[in-house]
Every structure is written in C-alpha cells, then in structure tokens.
Amino acid sequence: MTNNNVNDNENSNLLERFYNHDWSLTSLGSINSWEPQIKSILDLCFKSGFPTYMFMGQNWITIYNEASIPVMKSLHPHAFIKPAIETWHEMPELITKLERVRESGKGIYEQNFYMELSRDGYKEEIYMDYSHNPIYKFDGTVWGVISIMTESTQKVLNERRLEALNKLSCQTIESACQIIMKALQNNQDIPYALIYLIDNNTNPITGFNSLVARLVATTFDEVCKEELVHEKLKRNIPDYFPETHEMIDLTKISDQDYVTYMEVKYATSTYSFLRCECWPINLVMKEEKPIKVLLKDNSQAILLPIKLTFCNERNLSAVLICGINLFRKLDDKYMEFYKSVLNYVNRILIRGMSIEEEKRRAKILSDLNHQNDMFFQSISHELKSNEY
C-alpha cells in the first residue's frame, strides 16, 4: 500500500509539472492545440506501467513516466521537459536514431543496446532493450517519437559473468592458475587478473615460519619462443601497477608499507580504497577479507583471499587480484560476482591440489614397489649364491 502511494505521488508530480509547463513558449504550441491522438498517446505514456518516454518537437523535448525513474536515476528530475541534446548529450546515437525515425516514418527496435551514461555520479556501461516508434499528425508528418525502453544491464552482466565462470576448468595447481587466467582474459568485468600462491611452512627444527608469496600467473602473460626450442614466459605488467614482484617474502613486510586509505565518492555511495606502493598481499592474508586498491592512474583493483582447505602436508593459500571495470562501481552485485568467481577458483585450485596429491601418493607407492622389488631381487640373489 505504501509503495503504491509513493508511485502515485511520483506520477502525480510528473503530470503536474507537465500540465503546469507553458508549452505555448515552445515550438509545439499550447496543449489545447495538440491533436486528439497525440493527447491519447500522452495519456498512455503516463499511465503505462512500463518505462515509457516521449521525444517531441524539433529539439526532442523529453518526457517520461514514473516507471522510467529507476532507469533515469540521478538524471531525474532534471531531464523532464528538457531537450534530448541536454539530457542525453553523452549519447549522440540516440538523437541519430530519433532523426532516423522522423525521416523514415518507421520504428526501430533493438536489444541490449550499449551506451555509456553518467547517471549515478560516474560514467557507467548500460544496456537497453528499446523500441522507438513515430507519433503521426493527421497530415502524416511525424510529430514526435514514443519510446518504450527497459534496462537489460543486469541481464547482460549476469550472462557475461556466467560465461566467464563457465570457462573455468580443473588442472594441477600450477597449470590451474594459468587456466584461470586464460579464462579471465578479455573479460569486461575483470579487465585483468593476477594470482599469487602463498606457502606457509614452519621448519620443524628451527621453528622458523616462512611465508612466501609467488606470482604464478597473470592475464598479461605471454609465452615467447626462443630459437623455436625453448619457451620463455613474458609478463607485460602495466606501468600504473604497484610493484609486482615474482617472489615476496611476507615476513619482511609491515603494514606501514601501505600508504593511506582514500575515499572514492559516487552520487549515492562512498567506498574506501588503499593507496599503496606494492600489492598488500600480507594485509589480505592478515585480515582475511578483500582489500580494495587505488592504482597510480586512479583505476581500481581488488585483492581477494582464497583459503585452500585440503588435507596434505602443503600449507597453501592464494590471493586473487582483479581489476575493476572502469564503467562499473563496486556495488553489492559486483561483489557477489567476485564471490562466485572465488568459489569457482577455489574449487579449481583444490582440485589441482588433489591431483598433485594423487600423483605424489602414486609416486610414493611406485617408489615403495620399486624398493620391494629391489629387496626381493637382493634376497633371491643371496639365496642363489648360498646354493652354490
């Protein structure tokens, strides 16, 4: 009941603004001069439960209904009764499509149309399903365009992210890391990725704890062939990254090596990011939670801890570093995607560890069999020698 009242008030506010506007000062003239079928379409627009827009006159004055407000976000209420060139200046292709409808007199329909629009304090990628249809006057000329648009952004993101998850497969732990990186290449939601494996071993004699992080694979890796015989791994690490070492002795790094936290503000939210000289691997291990990082070029990345729970002698954990899409903020749904990625990666790495463990046990068994064979061969030889 409360939601309905809110919706009714919102729609009433739009209607009030529409009818209080002095249309006689525009090229469209007074509302009383508008043809009946145009008024009927206007009534349909405001009463529709679907996001509906109307673009009217030579400069495409924009109106929309209450169902469109969630799509408009921070563009509302300023976009209402404004020329499209002012509201949608980041989308010149929209004006082009409206002009095309006016010139051809035919409608346009498109699914998952890509656009970049600032509507929440930052430029974000948006996908729309839309239909632009002409509004005719009695003389057959196009008076305006009625557009029915629904946002398909989350659907596209879900499909894209699911595709990325489906590419992940199982291998041994070293090659599993490479498979994971290969699966994450050319991914819009994870522009780049790196994975560190951390061995946490204690010397049983000295009791000294060794904590070493080793960079195993990245999405920047390139295999170069030398003289068509040897293969050499080349890492094309970007200049805007923090220091990215192949090996990091985490026992020699303190929290003071990380400079400061900075706030990144959007229209409706604020996030805290760490500005640092090197990847805060040990901080992620210590706090056992994701750490968001601001890079040298002010792009963003996130470090995600991975606990590899497996019954073997190797005390191993991992940290997955992922780039954040420049056109998406790190909201709850984005974090849910990262959690899904972590679940997949964790299973892959554990599977890799289990394969390694199976190989290790098979080798031990093979070595024992070989020792048994050698023992019995020796006994047999001794018995034969005693016979003579």
Side-chain angles (χ1 to χ4, degrees):
M1 187 68 177
T2 304
N3 288 338
N4 288 338
N5 288 336
V6 171
N7 293 345
D8 290 342
N9 291 338
E10 196 73 64
N11 209 34
S12 298
N13 184 45
L14 292 177
L15 283 167
E16 184 179 346
R17 287 183 61 193
F18 177 80
Y19 285 108
N20 286 341
H21 187 72
D22 191 351
W23 291 98
S24 64
L25 300 177
T26 70
S27 60
L28 298 170
S30 171
I31 293 179
N32 294 330
S33 66
W34 296 2
E35 296 178 359
Q37 78 281 8
I38 293 173
K39 293 179 181 179
S40 296
I41 294 172
L42 278 166
D43 188 54
L44 174 66
C45 172
F46 282 115
K47 289 183 178 179
S48 175
F50 218 71
T52 307
Y53 306 75
M54 287 182 65
F55 301 96
M56 309 177 298
Q58 292 299 316
N59 53 354
W60 303 115
I61 295 174
T62 305
I63 65 168
Y64 47 86
N65 63 359
E66 178 269 333
S68 306
I69 293 173
V71 179
M72 300 294 287
K73 291 188 178 180
S74 63
L75 295 177
H76 174 76
H78 311 292
F80 195 72
I81 317 182
K82 287 289 194 306
I85 193 65
E86 293 182 21
T87 305
W88 310 93
H89 60 88
E90 294 178 300
M91 293 172 50
E93 61 271 18
L94 172 63
I95 308 299
T96 302
K97 292 179 186 296
L98 295 175
E99 293 292 347
R100 183 173 143 199
V101 173
R102 174 184 279 159
E103 293 170 6
S104 67
K106 297 179 180 179
I108 301 174
Y109 172 71
E110 190 170 350
Q111 287 184 306
N112 300 332
F113 175 69
Y114 174 78
M115 63 184 80
E116 295 173 8
L117 191 63
S118 298
R119 57 175 186 169
D120 193 19
Y122 74 106
K123 183 178 285 189
E124 60 179 304
E125 59 172 327
I126 301 168
Y127 297 86
M128 289 282 186
D129 295 341
Y130 71 85
S131 174
H132 296 324
N133 298 288
I135 302 172
Y136 292 105
K137 294 176 68 175
F138 285 141
D139 61 8
T141 58
V142 175
W143 180 86
V145 172
I146 182 169
S147 299
I148 299 174
M149 290 192 275
T150 180
E151 186 169 357
S152 58
T153 303
Q154 199 55 52
K155 179 182 73 114
V156 172
L157 294 179
N158 290 342
E159 291 174 354
R160 193 170 75 195
R161 292 167 181 177
L162 183 61
E163 182 182 357
L165 295 175
N166 289 336
K167 287 181 180 178
L168 299 174
S169 60
C170 292
Q171 291 292 329
T172 58
I173 195 156
E174 300 292 334
S175 58
C177 292
Q178 296 168 2
I179 293 295
I180 291 166
M181 293 299 104
K182 186 175 180 180
L184 296 178
Q185 283 179 337
N186 303 318
N187 186 290
Q188 289 172 274
D189 293 297
I190 304 179
Y192 56 82
L194 307 85
I195 189 164
Y196 276 91
L197 291 181
I198 297 97
D199 284 294
N200 189 356
N201 299 316
T202 303
N203 189 308
I205 299 174
T206 64
F208 178 74
N209 186 51
S210 172
L211 193 62
V212 178
R214 178 167 51 93
L215 182 60
V216 179
T218 82
T219 52
F220 304 109
D221 291 351
E222 180 183 354
V223 176
C224 303
K225 290 187 176 181
E226 294 183 345
E227 298 179 358
L228 302 178
V229 178
H230 303 290
E231 289 188 347
K232 183 180 179 181
L233 183 63
K234 180 182 178 183
R235 300 204 199 276
N236 302 305
I237 303 297
D239 294 336
Y240 57 85
F241 269 27
E243 293 180 9
T244 306
H245 301 291
E246 291 290 321
M247 302 284 287
I248 306 173
D249 186 349
L250 299 180
T251 60
K252 296 180 179 179
I253 297 178
S254 65
D255 294 348
Q256 283 73 30
D257 293 325
Y258 307 115
V259 182
T260 183
Y261 278 96
M262 301 186 67
E263 289 189 344
V264 176
K265 295 183 179 181
Y266 298 101
T268 57
S269 53
T270 300
Y271 298 91
S272 181
F273 284 80
L274 184 67
R275 178 82 75 176
C276 55
E277 298 296 330
C278 60
W279 295 111
I281 304 291
N282 66 323
L283 196 60
V284 177
M285 300 290 295
K286 178 182 176 182
E287 298 190 3
E288 297 184 349
K289 67 178 183 180
I291 300 291
K292 299 183 286 291
V293 173
L294 206 59
L295 306 186
K296 295 175 185 177
D297 65 345
N298 288 325
S299 62
Q300 302 166 1
I302 185 169
L303 286 77
L304 305 155
I306 304 172
K307 287 187 176 181
L308 298 174
T309 306
F310 190 76
C311 297
N312 68 354
E313 297 177 358
R314 194 174 181 185
N315 189 359
L316 192 67
S317 53
V319 171
L320 179 66
I321 302 174
C322 295
I324 298 172
N325 188 329
L326 290 172
F327 299 119
R328 306 299 312 171
K329 67 178 178 180
L330 193 58
D331 55 18
D332 291 341
K333 290 183 179 178
Y334 207 159
M335 281 303 301
E336 286 175 11
F337 168 65
Y338 278 132
K339 289 177 183 177
S340 299
V341 171
L342 277 184
N343 289 335
Y344 274 76
V345 169
N346 189 61
R347 288 200 293 267
I348 292 165
L349 293 179
I350 289 176
R351 174 59 180 161
M353 292 176 70
S354 68
I355 292 173
E356 285 189 353
E357 183 68 8
E358 289 170 9
K359 288 182 177 180
R360 187 182 71 86
R361 290 176 180 174
K363 186 178 185 306
I364 291 173
L365 186 60
S366 175
D367 290 344
L368 285 173
N369 289 336
H370 177 69
Q371 291 174 12
N372 288 337
D373 290 342
M374 293 300 293
F375 174 76
F376 286 116
Q377 285 179 17
S378 176
I379 294 294
S380 177
H381 178 72
E382 290 293 329
L383 290 174
K384 286 180 181 180
S385 298
N386 290 334
E387 287 177 359
Y388 297 108

